[in-house]
């Protein structure tokens, strides 16, 4: 289990960087995506070792790439994940998606990108965009709410576009 594997390392290093890189909570934000063994997943510029390891436990095929390396890809993916920032436009990433593929963004509310990215997704031809509020943030998600949740509280956004 990832939690058991990395808890000692987080404790020993005792840094914020270790928590961000190794926390088992990093995968929580992706639970609404429904990743399965049959999925072919591309994750762009992940900032977490434990998150990549978790993805590899969920799906048989996981590709990790920097944004600069995307133009060299020949494969098509049914899930593309971009966490924390928009490294490439939805139009460009759509070219790497299979016909029924899903594009996933997790974005910090403080950056106010979610509304902008939703517009870009619509312009790129994604007509099914599901939005979630994740709390306290996308890094260490412990609660996930529908976008229209009126219970208050801050949170980041998870966007899943088809």
């Amino acid at each position: 289990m990832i939690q058991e594997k990395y808890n000692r390392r987080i404790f020993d290093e005792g840094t914020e960087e270790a928590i961000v890189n190794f926390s088992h909570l990093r995968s929580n934000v992706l639970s609404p995506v429904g990743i399965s063994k049959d999925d072919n997943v591309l994750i762009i510029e992940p900032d977490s070792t434990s998150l990549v390891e978790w993805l590899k436990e969920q799906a048989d095929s996981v590709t990790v790439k920097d944004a600069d390396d995307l133009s060299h890809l020949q494969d098509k993916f049914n899930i593309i994940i971009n966490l924390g920032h928009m490294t490439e436009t939805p139009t460009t990433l759509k070219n790497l998606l299979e016909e029924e593929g899903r594009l996933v963004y997790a974005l910090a509310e403080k950056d106010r990108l979610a509304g902008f990215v939703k517009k870009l997704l619509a312009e790129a031809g994604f007509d099914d965009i599901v939005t979630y509020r994740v709390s306290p943030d996308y890094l260490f998600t412990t609660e996930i709410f529908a976008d229209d949740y009126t219970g208050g509280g801050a949170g980041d956004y998870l966007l899943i576009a088809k």
Side-chain angles (χ1 to χ4, degrees), residues 14-15 22 30 35 45 53 60 75 78 80 96 117 122-124 136:
T15 64
F22 300 117
L30 296 177
I35 299 168
E45 295 187 10
E53 188 170 329
D60 287 337
D75 294 339
N78 67 322
I80 298 176
L96 296 172
V117 172
E123 288 175 9

Side-chain angles (χ1 to χ4, degrees), residues 4-86:
E4 295 164 352
K5 179 176 180 179
Y6 291 119
N7 276 353
R8 172 88 299 189
R9 188 161 179 188
I10 291 169
F11 182 78
D12 289 344
E13 291 185 25
T15 64
E16 183 178 337
E17 182 180 339
I19 295 168
V20 169
N21 194 29
F22 300 117
S23 174
H24 69 283
L25 294 176
R26 291 303 306 274
S27 62
N28 288 353
V29 71
L30 296 177
S31 59
V33 179
I35 299 168
S36 69
K37 284 287 183 196
D38 296 334
D39 288 323
N40 184 11
V41 179
L42 169 64
I43 184 163
I44 303 167
E45 295 187 10
D47 61 354
S48 170
T49 299
S50 64
L51 177 63
V52 171
E53 188 170 329
W54 177 84
L55 279 171
K56 290 179 178 181
E57 288 179 356
Q58 305 307 304
D60 287 337
S61 178
V62 176
T63 302
V64 179
K65 289 289 183 185
D66 288 329
D68 298 339
D69 296 333
L70 297 178
S71 62
H72 300 81
L73 288 173
Q74 300 296 319
D75 294 339
K76 295 278 187 176
F77 303 89
N78 67 322
I79 299 175
I80 298 176
I81 300 169
N82 199 177
L83 303 177
H85 48 278
M86 190 175 77

